[in-house]
Structure formats: C-alpha cells, structure tokens
Amino acid sequence: MQTERQILEQMKAGFPQLPDEEWEWLYDCAVRSAFAGKSVGREECKQCYLLYRRFRKEVLKELKGWKKIWFLYGKGM
C-alpha cells in the first residue's frame, strides 16, 4: 500500500504540467476537504479550479489526434 507521500510524488512525476508546490497545495486541499471534516473555502475552491484549467490547457497542448479526442470526450475532462 502506498503512503500519501508516494502518491503525491507519483502525481508530480506523472504530470509535470504543474510545479511541485502547486501539486502539494492542491493535494492538501483535496485531503482536507475529503477527510478533515472542514470544507475548503471559497477562495481555495477558486484557486483549485484555476489550477485545473491551467493543467487541462497544458495537457491539451501536448496531445495530438485520437489522444486529444479521448481526453476531451472519453474521459470527460
């Protein structure tokens, strides 16, 4: 079984579109929201959404052909 740190490191290595600090912040927000019983604030939600949009844009620039179609419609991102 993987630890939280190992999962975070895999995400950083697998998706270099976001810097390490942003991955750590995003992961922290997700864990707090899911397990701490506290909701993430409005400003943090907005920041998460902006990071997602930037990440999605970077991924789409790198994909070509069927991979791009699969990312957009198959995965629903």
Side-chain angles (χ1 to χ4, degrees):
M1 186 165 173
Q2 294 180 320
T3 65
E4 284 184 38
R5 181 52 68 195
Q6 290 171 324
I7 293 169
L8 182 57
E9 293 304 320
Q10 273 187 323
M11 289 169 44
K12 288 178 190 178
F15 302 101
Q17 292 84 358
L18 292 178
D20 289 353
E21 307 82 47
E22 289 177 345
W23 269 120
E24 290 178 16
W25 179 82
L26 193 59
Y27 188 79
D28 180 59
C29 283
V31 169
R32 278 188 292 128
S33 179
F35 302 111
K38 304 188 274 187
S39 63
V40 177
R42 186 177 197 88
E43 190 60 36
E44 285 181 317
C45 281
K46 185 177 177 181
Q47 283 299 110
C48 287
Y49 179 67
L50 292 174
L51 281 177
Y52 161 74
R53 286 189 53 164
R54 197 174 86 219
F55 172 77
R56 182 179 181 272
K57 186 177 178 181
E58 292 295 319
V59 168
L60 284 173
K61 277 197 274 184
E62 297 171 11
L63 296 176
K64 305 289 182 226
W66 284 106
K67 288 184 179 182
K68 184 180 264 189
I69 292 170
W70 176 248
F71 183 80
L72 288 171
Y73 302 105
K75 296 203 180 265
M77 299 202 61

